[in-house]
Amino acid sequence: MANERAEQYQGKTTGFVTITCLIAAIGGCMFGYDIGVAGGVTSTDDFLREFFSNVYAKRRNAHENNYCKFNDQGLAAFNSSLYIAGLVATLVASPITRKYGRRVSIICAGIFFLVGAAVNAGSINLPMLLLGRIMLGFGVGFESQAVPVYLSEVSPTHIRGALSVLFQLATTLGIFSANMISYVTQKLSPWGWRLALGTAAFPALLMSLGGYFLPETPNSLIQRGLAEKGRHVLEKLRGTSNVDAEFQDLIDASLLANSTKHPFRDILEKRHRPQLVMAVLMPMFQILTGVNCILFYAPVMFLTMGFGENSLLYSGVLLGFVLVLSTFVSVGLVDKLGRRPLLLSGGLQMITCQIIVSVILGLKLGDSQELSKGYSIMLVIFFSLFVLGYGWSWGPLGYTVPSELFPLAIRSAGQSITVAVNLLFTFIVAQAFLYLLCALKFGIFLLFACCVSVMTIFVYFMLPETKGVPIEDMSLIWTKHWFWKKMLPEN
């Protein structure tokens, strides 16, 4: 019945739904800004002198091993503390998102971001700096829990992929903005780093105020017993009063959802096994591409490779621009080509680029020499091509695909697991990267290439296509998949 009703869905892409999605996606901008600005300030002398004097001293030592100049666990903790805090926060955010709505979690995220930005900008010692990062991590946990679900629930089926990718597009714009601001503020000695960190308060304020004016999703309203209000919002989102088919699907889904008292326990049931596997592996694979390391530490790596003090310009601005550009490619193609073709093509491109980068570093950099200008330009090109492949594939779809797979009854729990796994592996990789760069040297990129190879094979065999499937009918795709249908319990 539900599948038949899906063909009767009415509505168009209204200005209301577009504006609503744009406001919600500001959360991605905050996430991206916090990623980008961390890499920027940690490569500036003023910041390192004040908080990480030993790193500053090693950086000035010309005889220090190229791959080990920034190997400091305190510096790694500055970057990675945000993600372990986000992991804890998303588990707290899940019941809030379920019981009180997606909008409340978005507002909470904005407030955490605002406080974290203020504390970071005013930091006078390392504990205060870490406290600010932890507050930002709470913001990441809440917005990563609520925003992808919000976008997938308010979007019309035929463009759900494109609108859901707005979260990643906003993330890439945040990274690019942070890189541009860091490049400008590094010239404002000795307080430029404070301005770079404090500027995060502006999108945080927009997110808090925008969240206040956002409508709650029809799915959440109906699930919480506000069916008439849910229908009103649905009609406004779809631009028509003829929403009977979609509304009935939401009613049916909410009845099932409200009968589910323990979503985290129910998600472990065999009938939800495929979704649970995707909720764990998709975000894990997204981080194991190694892209976060490149975005976190691009200025550090480019300094290591002999790019000098203009490394922020070369790495941050260029890679940030490429990431934004590639995400637009995903927005345009995700609902035309589908999720699988983008994931597979992006994976193959990333594997190729990582192998080439590893070969160049292994043959031409060594432990103490600098790269020639020609090889340095080649590295910039292949780093950019790597980011390009990530930006149209695993960047946006690592969030989009899991957010659309779960039935309403366990959607907030499923998103919480997705975000928690993402943040856990982000923390692990961010904390370990500087050590691994020192220990494995150029081989770390071969390690990431192996990870991307595994995940590309996994997508080819195990991930069904979700293009054009209504979100409340998503469970049907597993019954038609060659492998997952064998895993499901018999009805």
Side-chain angles (χ1 to χ4, degrees), residues 35-36 39 175 179 290-299 319 323 387 390:
I35 292 175
I175 293 171
N179 290 331
V291 71
N292 278 9
C293 293
I294 291 175
L295 296 177
F296 289 160
Y297 300 113
L319 296 183
L323 192 57
V387 171
Y390 173 85

Side-chain angles (χ1 to χ4, degrees), residues 338-360:
R339 284 59 161 161
R340 279 169 49 85
L342 294 182
L343 289 169
L344 293 172
S345 61
L348 292 174
Q349 183 163 321
M350 286 188 287
I351 294 166
T352 303
C353 292
Q354 284 168 323
I355 292 174
I356 293 174
V357 165
S358 182
V359 169
I360 293 175

Side-chain angles (χ1 to χ4, degrees), residues 162 165 326-337 342:
V165 168
S326 61
T327 308
F328 276 109
V329 174
S330 185
V331 170
L333 296 180
V334 67
D335 287 311
K336 295 179 180 178
L337 298 181
L342 294 182

